[in-house]
Amino acid sequence: MRTKFIAVLALTGLLTLGGSAQANIPFFSDKDETPTLAPMLEEVTPAVVNISVKGSREVRQRIPDMFRFFFGPNGPREQVQERPFRGLGSGVIIDAENGYVVTNNHVIDGASEILVTLKDGEQYDAEVIGTDANSDIALLKIKNGKDLTEIEIGRSADLRVGDFVVAIGNPFGLGQTVTSGIVSALGRSGLGIEEIENFIQTDAAINSGNSGGALVTLDGKLVGINTAILGPNGGNIGIGFAIPSDMMEALVQQLIEFGEVRRGVLGVRGNDLTPDIAKALNLDANQGAFIAEVVPDSAAAEAGLQSGDVITAVNGEKIRSFADLSARVKTLGVGKPFDITVLRDGDKRTFEVTLSADETAVEAEQLHPALQGATLAPSDGGGITITELEEGSMAARYGLRKDDVIVAVNRKPVNSVSELRSALDSAEGVVALNIRRGNSSLYLVLRGG
């Protein structure tokens, strides 16, 4: 029976993860040789923790027009209240010596108290080292932790569709729970879950409370941080998403070093490599990021990238789409060189690139009074993105929406905050913003500069 079971495992790929043999995985019980993952989980699960949080959040509620007369003609348009909240989630200890725990930003966002509970029931307070809302990653530090267990971080780049994985977390506050499945897809993006998306998709059951938990291979290596699901009413239907460990590790290194993620700008615009583009350029490839334009004086221009190049890999890791490229670039820090592999005229070439500093997001009111309530940041696809928008603000009343991209001011293209500031300063009287909203393009007119 044991020999037959090993043969089945080998045929299904269970003994092979990312192309390397895992013959040392203990699949059988010491007692009766029944199939089990228990020995691996006994090593790994102490590194997965439950997280409970307390805090308060600002809630804005618009005051109905019929009641505003009580406050006079210049009365407030909305009511602001602080409301307490509690939340539950999961986390993974990646550094036992320093007590570092990785979780999702949305698990601890706004929390004033964070309590970490280990598998054995020990509880410790934790503090926030740094967060990155765009990728939904947060790094915590356990205070005065003792006898902590860390998990070994694996290479998510080595994953293949069909590899078996195990999800560990705290669904619905039940306590530590383990589920299993396979890697259903890689490089998932365009879901609208986070600003930066390059997810591992899995059918391992992930539910509310699993956020921040571990996705591990059968040899007990962390390859993802469980983040989100698609399902009716928050229930599991076998479509879960995890942030790849390679992406998480690069972000965490910056959070440890700087307390924040310092993103750089590559300086290219383009789209996915399509069969039509590949045929037109006579390229032997069907996946990659096609460069339509290289921004002058950008990191890409300085490295020697050209329009017409197709980016196929970053640091040796395959690039499947332009969204994949964008996610990888936004994960890498400023000032650290990395390799980009491209196809040019049918030949494969590699260039060393060092990202130039990104301009930090700014409050748009600093640029124009009518933009009050909007927060802006450069977009990798060109233009300036509205990353945040206050409900009922001046910008909202002018018709702007979150995730709108300002591509031009009075028909003058803008691709950086400084260019936007210059265009607004030079505009006289009425300002016409050319907005890209999804697949649509429209103009909004601002007054009061």
Side-chain angles (χ1 to χ4, degrees), residues 221-295:
K221 293 180 180 178
L222 179 71
V223 289
I225 300 296
N226 300 323
T227 298
I229 61 171
L230 289 183
N233 304 315
N236 173 64
I237 59 170
I239 303 177
F241 301 100
I243 298 169
S245 59
D246 295 347
M247 178 175 169
M248 175 276 293
E249 194 170 21
L251 293 168
V252 164
Q253 288 174 357
Q254 294 187 62
L255 293 177
I256 293 173
E257 186 174 357
F258 308 115
E260 63 180 0
V261 174
R262 297 183 177 178
R263 289 197 168 82
V265 177
L266 179 58
V268 298
R269 303 186 186 104
N271 45 34
D272 298 347
L273 176 66
T274 64
D276 289 340
I277 295 175
K279 183 178 180 180
L281 298 178
N282 194 28
L283 295 177
D284 185 20
N286 53 19
Q287 288 185 325
F290 174 71
I291 300 177
E293 180 184 356
V294 176
V295 177

Side-chain angles (χ1 to χ4, degrees), residues 211-432:
S211 291
L215 188 72
V216 303
T217 54
L218 296 187
D219 58 344
K221 293 180 180 178
L222 179 71
V223 289
I225 300 296
N226 300 323
T227 298
I229 61 171
L230 289 183
N233 304 315
N236 173 64
I237 59 170
I239 303 177
F241 301 100
I243 298 169
S245 59
D246 295 347
M247 178 175 169
M248 175 276 293
E249 194 170 21
L251 293 168
V252 164
Q253 288 174 357
Q254 294 187 62
L255 293 177
I256 293 173
E257 186 174 357
F258 308 115
E260 63 180 0
V261 174
R262 297 183 177 178
R263 289 197 168 82
V265 177
L266 179 58
V268 298
R269 303 186 186 104
N271 45 34
D272 298 347
L273 176 66
T274 64
D276 289 340
I277 295 175
K279 183 178 180 180
L281 298 178
N282 194 28
L283 295 177
D284 185 20
N286 53 19
Q287 288 185 325
F290 174 71
I291 300 177
E293 180 184 356
V294 176
V295 177
D297 301 321
S298 65
E302 292 180 3
L305 298 182
Q306 299 176 3
S307 58
D309 286 346
V310 176
I311 298 177
T312 59
V314 171
N315 280 341
E317 297 178 13
K318 186 176 180 180
I319 294 297
R320 299 174 176 83
S321 63
F322 202 85
D324 188 4
L325 171 66
S326 178
R328 299 288 179 91
V329 168
K330 289 179 179 178
T331 301
L332 300 168
V334 175
K336 295 181 180 178
F338 62 96
D339 291 334
I340 282 185
T341 302
V342 307
L343 286 177
R344 180 184 296 173
D345 300 326
D347 297 326
K348 184 180 292 187
R349 303 187 183 188
T350 299
F351 298 87
E352 185 176 88
V353 182
T354 300
L355 296 181
S356 54
D358 192 0
E359 295 181 83
T360 57
V362 299
E363 298 297 327
E365 188 177 8
Q366 302 171 17
L367 308 180
H368 194 283
L371 296 178
Q372 179 270 326
T375 301
L376 308 174
S379 170
D380 270 355
I384 306 297
T385 301
I386 298 178
T387 58
E388 299 292 339
L389 185 66
E390 295 181 13
E391 184 179 351
S393 65
M394 182 70 74
R397 292 200 292 273
Y398 267 106
L400 289 168
R401 298 180 186 175
K402 186 177 183 295
D403 297 326
D404 278 354
V405 180
I406 303 171
V407 296
V409 176
N410 291 352
R411 298 186 180 275
K412 181 179 180 180
V414 292
N415 292 297
S416 67
V417 174
S418 60
E419 287 183 3
L420 177 60
R421 178 182 286 108
S422 177
L424 290 171
D425 288 343
S426 61
E428 297 180 0
V430 174
V431 176

